[in-house]
Amino acid sequence: MTGENFVGDIDMSASFTDHKKEEEQLAKLAAIVQSSEDAIVSKTLTGIVTSWNNAAERMFGYTAEEMIGQPITRIIPAERLEEEPIILGKIARGERVEHFETKRVRKDGILLDISLTISPVKDRSGNIIGVSKIARNITEQKKAAMQIREREELFRMAVESTRLGSWEYSLSTQRFVWSEESRNIWGLPADLLIDRHLLENMIHPEDRDHLLTYIRQALIDADGSNYMIEFRISRFLDGELCWIKLQGKCFYGSGNYESRFIGTMLDITEEKQAKEEMEKTIRQRTQELLKINERLEKSNLALEQFAYIASHDLQEPLRKIRTFSELIREHLDDPQKVEHYFSKISASAERMSRLITGILNYSRLSQLDPFQKTDLGNVLKSVLQEYDLLIEQKNAVVKCGQLPAIMGIRSQLEQLFRNLIGNSLKFCNKAPEINITAAIATPESLPASLQPSSQKFTAITLQDNGIGFEQRYAEQIFHIFKRLDTGSQYVGTGIGLALCKKIVENHMGAITALGRKGEGAIFVIYLPCT
Amino acid sequence: MKAAFTCLLIDDDIDDQEIFQLALEEVNTPVTCNTASRCTEALELLSSETIPDFIFLDLNMPGMDGKEFLREIKKDEKLSQIPVVIYSTSSDPKDLRITRELGAFDYIIKQSSIVSLRKILERFFNRQQINNSN
């Protein structure tokens, strides 16, 4: 390729000096053209190549000799041949074509991505006499761009597969760029313009200040740290509450790079709800465990007391038996005394037997039978039948209201009524009057041990006109072996009411007593309604 | 000549009252013993009769129990001067500690042998004799 080839389209009608100067200038220009890294080609308005620089030779594989005089279409792929008349048409109209990205084919058949800048070549009079083309091989650039696009796509797919939304906020323009998933999370339509005001209004009022302070701080710190915060929003489309985990990092740009806050977000509503649910369950279980523990502690304490009191009270008749036996030995020659001490031994043995039976009954209550629907009216009826004779002998009047059915252990409930009615009949110095009624207990009337409770309770009241007791002993009377000052004619083991208490507690209820000495007693049994 | 003592036994158990009296009969020191089956009855006796030298007090009694009785008499200037000896089946150290704190003078555990009880009472009244002579 020569300078003549390049300037072949230029008019050469100037003076010699001018001509020489021009020659020098053209040689310079030709040298620039030849040393360019871009392919520089000129052609006629009909598309015949008139010059072909070194870079063009390297780029397309054709030498200048092979191309000059040949149509440029030689390097245009068949499917792009229609580009040429369009380009030539534009040039003929005096227009330029800049950075036109297209494909050209090398001599060896390899397709190249090139960027073309095409300009008209004019003579001194301004007539368009040809075309200059500067071609840049952008194959590598295209490949790199394609790779970036592929990676971006891969990243987007990876992010979306994790349900992560990505977001970007420009600090200079205050513009948001949100991924589709981010919009889905916030329930924002694809065409809605996102601005700070809109987002701030969607944040839950309780989390708003905290979040905004956090973001402001992140912008001030700008130490390249990752920021992470969780907050609630009310979704744009449906107003649903949604928990969001937002991660972000602030990049402070310089020069052409703008400062940006970028990050990801994740909808953690289900996770939060599951966590809350789990915490609720844990709290409930802890409460249940605490209650069970409390009951166990009570039960242990009761067992300890029971063991101590049982052994203590059982020793009492035993001690007397040994003492009176000793006295018999000392007074063997005095039949009257011997007889007296024998009767004492017999009474002590009798008492011991009663105590052992009582203790057995009490300890049997620990073995719980399954709960069954039990009609308390029926239970009471059968207990009253047992007392028929005593009721008649004592001229007692027993009035019963309607009693409900509850879930319980029939044998224990019978024992409960047997003991209470038995006491009312026994501890009475006139014709006994017993009144039994039932009603639903109001929450505030429940004993402290049952409060607070969402469970409804039936309150069964048993009122008598017996010898009663002093109110200050109202709790003690339920302690095992605790006997009240009932006078010598009333003998008891001190187990009956302790049994009643244990039965009611086995049924998740409570029993209270109200009394006044000489004026009767009122027992209230609280049992869970079915 | 040994000084005679008077005492009041408060015990709801009639058998234990009898055993206590029988044991006292064998003690070298002459002791006159009055009895009460209830603490309330004892308080009435104490307010109307001569103050005894000692009170022997059971703990586990219906109605007002021994500990309540101790608290009650400690409120009264005159009655609080009477030495109260606990006479109980309980060997629970807690009962020993509490009654000492309430001002009990001594603590005798009810014995399962009248011979042992006699010995204990013998020693107790002998000690009181010595105290008196000093």
Side-chain angles (χ1 to χ4, degrees):
Chain A
M1 188 172 128
T2 61
E4 286 88 339
N5 290 330
F6 181 70
V7 293
D9 300 323
I10 300 167
D11 181 12
M12 300 179 64
S13 60
S15 68
F16 181 74
T17 317
D18 289 343
H19 182 71
K20 204 176 172 187
K21 270 186 184 171
E22 269 175 12
E23 267 188 349
E24 282 171 8
Q25 211 168 352
L26 286 171
K28 252 187 213 172
L29 285 171
I32 292 169
V33 169
Q34 283 301 16
S35 60
S36 166
E37 281 299 310
D38 293 331
I40 301 172
V41 173
S42 63
K43 58 184 182 183
T44 64
L45 283 173
T46 54
I48 300 298
V49 175
T50 51
S51 71
W52 189 261
N53 74 346
N54 290 344
E57 284 189 353
R58 285 194 301 275
M59 199 179 289
F60 299 110
Y62 291 102
T63 61
E65 284 76 23
E66 284 172 314
M67 284 305 291
I68 292 169
Q70 297 299 319
I72 194 73
T73 50
R74 205 172 178 183
I75 59 164
I76 301 176
E79 68 275 10
R80 290 182 182 261
L81 281 172
E82 72 271 17
E83 284 177 5
E84 186 63 9
I86 298 167
I87 292 169
L88 291 176
K90 281 190 171 183
I91 296 301
R93 291 194 297 273
E95 292 171 21
R96 259 169 73 94
V97 177
E98 280 188 18
H99 308 302
F100 172 59
E101 288 189 6
T102 183
K103 286 184 188 290
R104 291 294 179 256
V105 64
R106 273 172 59 92
K107 188 183 179 184
D108 55 14
I110 291 171
L111 272 178
L112 300 175
D113 286 297
I114 59 164
S115 168
L116 283 178
T117 296
I118 308 155
S119 319
V121 176
K122 296 175 182 170
D123 63 12
R124 284 205 170 90
S125 322
N127 301 314
I128 298 165
I129 52 167
V131 182
S132 85
K133 270 184 172 179
I134 301 172
R136 177 166 289 178
N137 185 354
I138 56 166
T139 308
E140 288 306 314
Q141 205 178 316
K142 276 270 184 184
K143 214 187 267 178
M146 177 67 83
Q147 274 175 352
I148 289 171
R149 267 204 304 279
E150 279 172 3
R151 285 195 185 155
E152 277 177 351
E153 182 65 10
L154 192 68
F155 173 71
R156 189 188 61 75
M157 280 159 67
V159 163
E160 281 179 9
S161 69
T162 57
R163 291 171 30 250
L164 271 176
S166 59
W167 59 270
E168 192 179 319
Y169 174 63
S170 162
L171 297 181
S172 50
T173 64
Q174 303 206 333
R175 273 190 62 227
F176 286 91
V177 180
W178 279 30
S179 73
E180 198 185 327
E181 187 61 31
S182 292
R183 283 180 177 266
N184 284 342
I185 293 172
W186 286 61
L188 292 165
D191 55 351
L192 187 77
L193 186 72
I194 299 172
D195 62 34
R196 271 182 71 165
H197 184 68
L198 171 79
L199 299 179
E200 281 178 22
N201 277 331
M202 288 170 71
I203 296 163
H204 194 285
E206 284 175 22
D207 296 346
R208 197 174 293 150
D209 286 350
H210 173 57
L211 176 67
L212 296 178
T213 310
Y214 191 84
I215 290 173
R216 266 196 294 276
Q217 194 57 45
L219 293 172
I220 294 165
D221 292 350
D223 59 355
S225 307
N226 281 318
Y227 294 96
M228 199 276 285
I229 189 165
E230 291 175 4
F231 56 93
R232 289 161 291 176
I233 60 156
S234 171
R235 282 163 53 90
F236 184 82
L237 284 178
D238 49 22
E240 287 271 313
L241 184 95
C242 177
W243 270 98
I244 289 178
K245 182 178 184 175
L246 192 84
Q247 274 188 298
K249 193 168 180 172
C250 192
F251 290 93
Y252 271 84
S254 58
N256 287 333
Y257 296 100
E258 58 175 349
S259 299
R260 294 179 308 156
F261 211 165
I262 63 167
T264 57
M265 64 174 81
L266 185 64
D267 179 349
I268 54 164
T269 312
E270 280 180 19
E271 194 183 315
K272 278 276 178 187
Q273 280 168 349
K275 197 178 162 200
E276 271 170 27
E277 197 60 36
M278 196 165 78
E279 279 171 354
K280 199 175 145 194
T281 312
I282 290 172
R283 275 198 302 275
Q284 271 175 355
R285 292 278 183 278
T286 310
Q287 276 302 316
E288 281 168 15
L289 278 176
L290 280 175
K291 271 193 177 171
I292 291 170
N293 209 25
E294 205 176 299
R295 272 167 63 184
L296 268 178
E297 272 177 19
K298 268 188 190 171
S299 163
N300 273 348
L301 190 72
L303 200 68
E304 243 174 63
Q305 284 174 345
F306 176 76
Y308 172 75
I309 297 167
S311 63
H312 174 268
D313 277 57
L314 279 178
Q315 271 183 6
E316 186 193 288
L318 200 60
R319 180 174 54 80
K320 286 183 189 168
I321 290 169
R322 288 182 65 181
T323 306
F324 287 118
S325 304
E326 252 179 8
L327 284 166
I328 288 173
R329 203 178 297 126
E330 284 179 6
H331 299 90
L332 280 174
D333 51 351
D334 185 341
Q336 217 177 337
K337 278 189 176 167
V338 168
E339 179 53 36
H340 174 68
Y341 296 143
F342 264 129
S343 69
K344 292 282 182 194
I345 288 173
S346 176
S348 294
E350 181 62 35
R351 176 164 164 74
M352 193 161 181
S353 167
R354 280 204 310 274
L355 284 171
I356 290 171
T357 309
I359 289 166
L360 267 176
N361 284 340
Y362 189 84
S363 63
R364 273 198 201 109
L365 290 180
S366 305
Q367 300 155 16
L368 290 184
D369 294 325
F371 278 29
Q372 281 171 339
K373 196 163 187 181
T374 312
D375 184 343
L376 291 178
N378 266 337
V379 170
L380 185 62
K381 203 171 149 191
S382 63
V383 170
L384 288 174
Q385 274 168 3
E386 290 175 29
Y387 283 118
D388 263 355
L389 193 66
L390 193 59
I391 289 171
E392 204 184 307
Q393 281 172 355
K394 290 216 160 198
N395 282 326
V397 179
V398 184
K399 288 181 193 164
C400 301
Q402 185 79 28
L403 297 194
I406 62 149
M407 290 304 289
I409 305 163
R410 189 180 169 98
S411 59
Q412 291 195 7
L413 295 165
E414 278 181 356
Q415 175 91 64
L416 170 70
F417 283 110
R418 191 179 294 128
N419 290 1
L420 289 175
I421 293 169
N423 278 353
S424 295
L425 291 171
K426 191 161 71 174
F427 299 113
C428 193
N429 46 19
K430 51 192 165 212
E433 280 173 24
I434 306 167
N435 200 7
I436 304 162
T437 54
I440 299 289
T442 57
E444 57 276 11
S445 69
L446 290 175
S449 64
L450 300 180
Q451 284 184 358
S453 173
S454 50
Q455 167 76 51
K456 276 191 171 179
F457 286 86
T458 298
I460 299 156
T461 308
L462 189 146
Q463 185 168 9
D464 67 30
N465 62 340
I467 57 171
F469 55 87
E470 286 181 56
Q471 185 55 33
R472 61 189 173 129
Y473 299 120
E475 279 200 27
Q476 286 186 35
I477 57 171
F478 294 109
H479 294 176
I480 192 164
F481 296 124
K482 181 72 192 178
R483 282 165 292 144
L484 293 187
D485 188 1
T486 53
S488 54
Q489 73 269 38
Y490 304 107
V491 186
T493 54
I495 294 182
L497 287 177
L499 274 170
C500 291
K501 184 169 186 268
K502 198 165 178 197
I503 290 169
V504 172
E505 283 173 357
N506 281 351
H507 285 76
M508 274 69 76
I511 182 167
T512 59
L514 264 172
R516 193 175 282 180
K517 204 170 177 184
E519 292 181 23
I522 301 171
F523 287 90
V524 187
I525 304 156
Y526 298 90
L527 293 170
C529 296
T530 46
Chain B
M1 178 69 185
K2 285 191 173 177
F5 290 114
T6 57
C7 71
L8 170 65
L9 170 69
I10 311 168
D11 196 327
D12 65 309
D13 192 318
I14 308 295
D15 295 337
D16 277 333
Q17 285 184 14
E18 186 178 343
I19 294 165
F20 190 83
Q21 296 271 23
L22 286 170
L24 274 184
E25 281 172 14
E26 304 292 323
V27 170
N28 266 334
T29 311
V31 184
T32 315
C33 181
N34 209 350
T35 56
S37 297
R38 296 287 185 272
C39 292
T40 42
E41 186 191 336
L43 286 171
E44 277 169 31
L45 278 174
L46 291 169
S47 64
S48 59
E49 290 184 13
T50 326
I51 300 293
D53 296 318
F54 301 99
I55 291 173
F56 287 84
L57 176 68
D58 186 18
L59 287 181
N60 186 21
M61 282 183 285
M64 185 189 286
D65 67 14
K67 288 168 196 163
E68 282 178 79
F69 176 83
L70 256 179
R71 279 190 204 99
E72 199 59 38
I73 63 160
K74 289 298 169 190
K75 289 179 197 164
D76 185 291
E77 202 188 334
K78 198 168 85 180
L79 299 183
S80 64
Q81 303 303 313
I82 313 169
V84 177
V85 180
I86 305 300
Y87 180 58
S88 166
T89 47
S90 170
S91 55
D92 187 350
K94 207 164 76 183
D95 284 335
L96 253 86
R97 182 176 55 77
I98 292 171
T99 51
R100 187 183 298 143
E101 282 168 8
L102 290 173
F105 178 72
D106 209 338
Y107 198 108
I108 295 174
I109 296 169
K110 287 184 182 175
Q111 301 295 302
S112 51
S113 157
I114 192 161
V115 181
S116 310
L117 180 61
R118 275 182 203 133
K119 281 182 186 164
I120 289 167
L121 290 175
E122 183 72 59
R123 272 204 304 274
F124 176 81
F125 284 108
N126 275 343
R127 248 194 342 263
Q128 305 318 315
Q129 286 287 357
I130 295 163
N131 287 350
N132 270 5
S133 57
N134 288 339

